[in-house]
Amino acid sequence: MYAVYLAIVRNKDHLLFLFLAIISLFLLLNDENPRMRIVRGKAVELVSFLSSPLTVAKSLLFLEEENQLLREKTLALSLQVESMLNLHKENEELLSLLDFKKKTTLKIRPARVVNKGTQPNLLSIVIDGGKIDGIKKNQAVLTPKGVIGKTIEASNRASIVQLITDTNFRLSVRILPSGATGILRFLDGNTAQISEVQKNANVKIGDKVVTSGFSDIYPSGLPVGKVEGVYDGRSSFEKIIKVSLPNNMSSFQYVFVITEKLNEVN
């Protein structure tokens, strides 16, 4: 308390001036004299002018906060939409797999793609099915759209699948309805090539390409692709057939492994 008293004594002149200024301002603002009204108007204008920058600054700050909030909401909505689209796509793929499993006469094991292959000289994927699921080496792997490869390694709970797009992959195929046979290998994009097709084979664009059944791995009649081009080969005894593959090799998440050939696909 004594310290407060000393502070008042030391600053009594300033405090007296402030007190008198407040009294004077009060009297001026409450005086009804026309001249004082003009003074009050000017004072209000001055205060408004001095406070304008602060008001603008506050407004800009508010707008920036609002824009940041809108950006966050936009990002959240974009992520929700993307998630819904991915779920829709996955749901369609699962429904397609379920429909295929009901119709096929083969004994098949569904599996999920969990990773890309780790071997640099081999295009492959890793699936979450292995020996305990009846999956072993050299079994056909496909989606409802068609063949995508074969198993080349199998552990207890995972397997490596060599993809049809690997440069070393070869597949014996048949072209329908002509019945011409040949060997399919990947070219680029979603295109493959069939060689060793007889020159006199009646092959047309749009013809269906299926597995020939000559392999111990692939039953006959599994879908592979469609003919998109017919060309004369270097040899006068063969044709070269270009084939479009139905699967987008970078987008599927689920596959089927044929674990037993009960009956061949028609």
Side-chain angles (χ1 to χ4, degrees):
M1 192 70 183
Y2 181 71
V4 174
Y5 172 75
L6 289 178
I8 293 174
V9 171
R10 282 196 300 268
N11 298 284
K12 61 181 180 179
D13 294 335
H14 297 86
L15 293 174
L16 180 60
F17 174 78
L18 179 61
F19 176 74
L20 293 175
I22 293 173
I23 294 298
S24 301
L25 184 61
F26 176 78
L27 292 173
L28 288 172
L29 292 176
N30 287 276
D31 193 346
E32 294 299 325
N33 189 297
R35 292 183 179 179
M36 291 311 303
R37 290 178 182 175
I38 296 174
V39 172
R40 285 198 294 270
K42 296 295 183 182
V44 172
E45 290 179 1
L46 179 62
V47 172
S48 176
F49 175 76
L50 294 176
S51 62
S52 292
L54 182 60
T55 303
V56 172
K58 287 183 177 179
S59 178
L60 291 174
L61 182 61
F62 174 76
L63 287 175
E64 178 60 29
E65 291 177 352
E66 188 175 21
N67 286 337
Q68 179 63 28
L69 182 61
L70 289 173
R71 285 194 291 267
E72 291 176 0
K73 287 184 177 180
T74 300
L75 177 60
L77 289 173
S78 297
L79 293 176
Q80 288 178 7
V81 171
E82 186 66 25
S83 177
M84 291 174 65
L85 290 174
N86 289 337
L87 288 173
H88 178 68
K89 182 178 179 181
E90 185 174 356
N91 185 54
E92 286 185 334
E93 189 172 353
L94 287 171
L95 288 173
S96 178
L97 290 172
L98 183 61
D99 185 59
F100 177 79
K101 188 173 182 179
K102 288 179 179 179
K103 292 179 179 179
T104 186
T105 58
L106 300 167
K107 186 174 182 180
I108 54 179
R109 168 65 167 82
R112 184 186 181 100
V113 179
V114 294
N115 206 345
K116 292 183 178 180
T118 57
Q119 296 173 270
N121 61 338
L122 182 72
L123 280 177
S124 60
I125 55 174
V126 179
I127 59 175
D128 65 351
K131 293 178 181 177
I132 61 174
D133 305 298
I135 298 174
K136 55 188 179 181
K137 184 178 178 180
N138 287 333
Q139 289 180 330
V141 183
L142 68 159
T143 72
K145 293 182 179 180
V147 173
I148 64 159
K150 66 178 181 180
T151 56
I152 55 173
E153 294 290 342
S155 64
N156 286 335
R157 297 186 180 275
S159 302
I160 300 176
V161 177
Q162 181 188 17
L163 295 176
I164 196 172
T165 50
D166 183 63
T167 55
N168 297 314
F169 190 93
R170 298 292 184 271
L171 180 63
S172 176
V173 296
R174 185 183 302 277
I175 305 169
L176 301 177
S178 68
T181 59
I183 303 299
L184 179 140
R185 67 181 180 88
F186 177 70
L187 287 179
D188 54 46
N190 266 32
T191 304
Q193 173 181 290
I194 305 175
S195 57
E196 301 181 22
V197 179
Q198 291 184 352
K199 185 78 171 181
N200 60 354
N202 185 21
V203 179
K204 298 177 181 179
I205 293 176
D207 284 355
K208 187 177 180 180
V209 179
V210 298
T211 51
S212 66
F214 295 160
S215 167
D216 292 333
I217 299 175
Y218 301 95
S220 65
L222 297 178
V224 177
K226 287 185 178 182
V227 175
E228 67 171 20
V230 182
Y231 309 93
D232 290 332
R234 293 181 180 179
S235 167
S236 59
F237 301 104
E238 70 172 11
K239 288 181 178 179
I240 300 297
I241 311 299
K242 278 193 176 181
V243 178
S244 61
L245 302 176
N247 287 296
N248 184 339
M249 305 304 288
S250 62
S251 67
F252 60 83
Q253 302 178 61
Y254 299 91
V255 298
F256 282 116
V257 182
I258 299 177
T259 56
E260 188 176 343
K261 295 186 285 186
L262 301 177
N263 291 299
E264 295 196 335
V265 179
N266 294 321

